[in-house]
Amino acid sequence: MTKWVYSFGDGTADGQADMRNLLGGKGANLAEMSNLGLPVPSGFTISTEVCTAYYDNDEKYPEDLADQVSAAVDKIEDSVGGRFGDKEQPLLVSVRSGARASMPGMMDTVLNLGLNDDTVAGLAVQSGDKRFAYDSYRRFIQMYSDVVLGVEHHHFEELLEILKEENGYILDTDLSADDWENLVGQYKAKVQEELGRPFPQDVNDQLWGAITAVFGSWMNQRAIKYRRLHDIPAEWGTAVNVQAMVFGNMGDDSATGVAFTRNPSTGEKRFYGEFLVNAQGEDVVAGIRTPQNLTKEAREEAGDDAPSMEELFPSVFTQLVEVYHKLEDHYRDMQDIEFTVQQGKLWMLQTRSGKRTAKAALKIAVDMVEEGMITREEAIERIEPSSLDQLLHPTLDPDAERNIIARGLPASPGAASGEIVFNSDEAEKLAAEGKSVILVRIETSPEDIHGMHAAKGILTSRGGMTSHAAVVARGMGRACVSGAGSINIDYREETMSVLGQTFNKGDIITIDGGTGEVMLGSVDMILPELSGTFGTLMAWADEIRRLRVRTNAETPLDAETARKFGAEGIGLCRTEHMFFDADRIVAVRQMILADTLDEREEALAKLLPVQKADFVELFRIMSGLPVTVRLLDPPLHEFLPKTDEEIDDLAKALGADAKKLRHRALQLHEFNPMLGHRGCRLGISYPEIYEMQARAILEAAAEVSKELGETVIPEIMIPLVATEKELEILKGKIEAVAATIEEESGASVEYLIGTMIELPRAALQAGQIANQAEFFSFGTNDLTQTTYGISRDDSGSFLEDYITQGIYDTDPFVSLDRDGVGELVKLAAERGRVTREDIKLGICGEHGGDPSSIDFCETIGLDYVSCSPYRVPIARLAAAQAALGMTRVSEA
Ligand code: PEP
Ligand code: MG
């Protein structure tokens, strides 16, 4: 016989805390509290397996379930001394759902079940309070009708309002016992009218109705949607908890409340909570009456006159404090508890691990280590790496009101408010005037860098999580919402329209890059604060992790930010990003559009000193830490002048013929620039570009080595290699430059040459490529793009379909696809190591900052991950968790 039903209460239980999968979170914790000897009203849990069986079997229950439930009801009766359906000594129960993970959207609670026209009289006698009995009965009819029978609350609320009005009552407390009895009659008539059948009087019908409503709610639309959003499988099922009622509304010596064992928003170790005298749990949640503080201290701080529980019920309060210590010591975590006091006696209704902010999570974890409650490893495992974002960027005040007008992808966390502007020059101009601006673009390109930098936040209507806007914004630590497709942007009119409204340049919006929300007006923010506990936990993580953490950075600001966050070097310096400053773009365009070698060399001569100065600055900031500089790798179109006006300006600046330039630009036009003349292919065609860059890097390294008194060993990286030969040729060119510099300076230069592995062919040929390469850096942005054959910039249009239909678990540009792209990475790492045992291996695609992908990098033994500056702390923590063997599911 399968055991479907698990009893608890009276200091014992069939279940325990680790049976969460079977009993749901609530059921497992009720069992555990019973085992701990805490005062838990007796009850039973119908297991999640029943839910699964119910749906597998055409919504029919297992045959032996009814007997098991009835035996469990008997057990409650024996424990509390009442009888279910009994006229004199009625037993009343609550029925609650309880899945493995708490799930809003499901049926929550039915209280006072077991009341009918007969038992209500028994309750009146038993409690000595007829008013209480009928008040409970009308609450039950309303709740049951709403949750189980589908007759909505407002029907009942209207009747109550009418009755109050007719009698000139203001408060519910003005109603007498007879008034409530009268209302009960009206409520029952209402149910009859709405449903064409009477409100169920048989208590067993009531019970099974509620049980079925809980199981039914597992498959309602809201629950299904919530599961999909949170990766909860339908097979998990929900449990049902049936428990003897205790009453917090049995007079002034009764109460109900909720508490946290520590402050959930700051983490402070102080008992924290609220209660209501003479009330049921729902009253606290409903917010009709203002709850009172639990502790005297909190009451005084709040300047509140209403007495605290500590003052009002001192002995119950002392008991509650003991319970809280017992629960925290037992669970070794902050608990969120619910309790009821019935005529002076304390009852525990729930305990669970309390939800908390990132700040509180850090403080609680670090404090608990210091209190000897948990180990450092446990502290590290308890913090969700991506939650650290909350601490690194300004975030919206959770209490502030939001008027959401659109949603896009949460491309770069943080929140920002400002005037909308539609082009980057304007953004820069207004920011220079001290204004906060949000740059709104259909999509961004490298030419928008200055505008993105000047803006507080970036909003695009097109583009995915690795679109230009997203990558650059994350790198800069700017808030960004990308791909908000419902927004229509008109550059010419400088307007954006959404939901039938049009917004003009200068209108204020707020974006939340952590959720993807776009809101009208400005919303209050909370500023970041890197508290002491943040540093402590990070230091522990650093001791544990094996993977090194570098950053993707090319500007001094990014490099400095990343070092502040603990980066141990630069894993990717994208040199093309250095080419867009106003003072060099002309020379860059000249270099690209040059017809002849002479012309190109003229441009390169202008670029050499500026590039060198850039590298000097980066090497200085990184003071001896490894720096990987990638040679030029842009799809060429990113650099070309686009409009006639731009071409004319360029022609003027260069003293060149505009027509000729236009012709050359046309010649260079590509249909598919991502697969075009980019990466090392540029170096093969125009080796002088790479030679100039190599010279700038090596001379800068020599200069900074002298300053620091230690050798800076730059890592020169060639992008988009597919064959050994490409690398062999380009390596030869760089070595020749190095030899020339050695000759000129008389000093030896040290450097490494390596490559990105970002094409499937490169991964397969890694063994051969390693003959030339001293390091590999996995460019998983391009590798994902080329392995799947989907565009980094355009996949947003169908990704949602792929995820909702379960074809992709998550966006493969966010979380590394282990089965495909990951296999290639693993194979390349293995093959590379066979050829060159000590080859350095890292990853510099966006995945380098994603906890699940970092876990993968740990399992295949890479040496380091590299990510945007603001993700460095996340990567440090994720690397420590990976070293502890803790696998995280993707958080995308
Ligand atoms: C990559 O392709 O993963 C990479 C890091 O290079 P980029 O994003 O600059 O193409
Ligand atoms: Mg790439």
Side-chain angles (χ1 to χ4, degrees), residues 39 66 112 193 236 251 266 364 370 393 447 578 628 638 676 746 817:
N112 304 324
E193 179 190 325
W236 280 11
T266 63
I364 291 169
E370 277 155 14
H393 300 275
E447 281 168 80
M578 301 164 129
T628 306
E638 289 186 356
D817 154 48

Side-chain angles (χ1 to χ4, degrees), residues 572 574 630 633 678 756 758 779-782 792 844-845:
L572 174 63
R574 292 174 162 109
R630 181 179 74 187
D633 168 35
R678 64 175 282 220
M756 297 192 68
E758 50 187 343
T780 45
N781 300 335
D782 273 309
R792 291 162 68 165
C844 63

Side-chain angles (χ1 to χ4, degrees), residues 689-701:
I689 298 180
Y690 277 14
E691 284 163 356
M692 178 280 285
Q693 291 196 296
R695 176 174 277 274
I697 295 165
L698 295 173
E699 287 185 358

Side-chain angles (χ1 to χ4, degrees), residues 565-595:
F565 287 150
E568 298 164 298
I570 290 179
L572 174 63
C573 164
R574 292 174 162 109
T575 51
E576 60 274 13
H577 285 189
M578 301 164 129
F579 281 173
F580 278 94
D581 284 357
D583 62 337
R584 46 189 91 168
I585 185 71
V586 172
V588 172
R589 285 182 170 153
Q590 184 186 11
M591 165 183 88
I592 293 203
L593 292 167
D595 261 342

Side-chain angles (χ1 to χ4, degrees), residues 7 41 51 179 201 225 236 240 321 375 503 553 558 634 668 688 747 779:
S7 292
C51 185
D179 290 327
Q201 288 292 315
K225 199 158 170 198
W236 280 11
V240 181
V321 169
T375 62
F503 303 99
D558 283 354
L668 287 173
E688 54 283 3

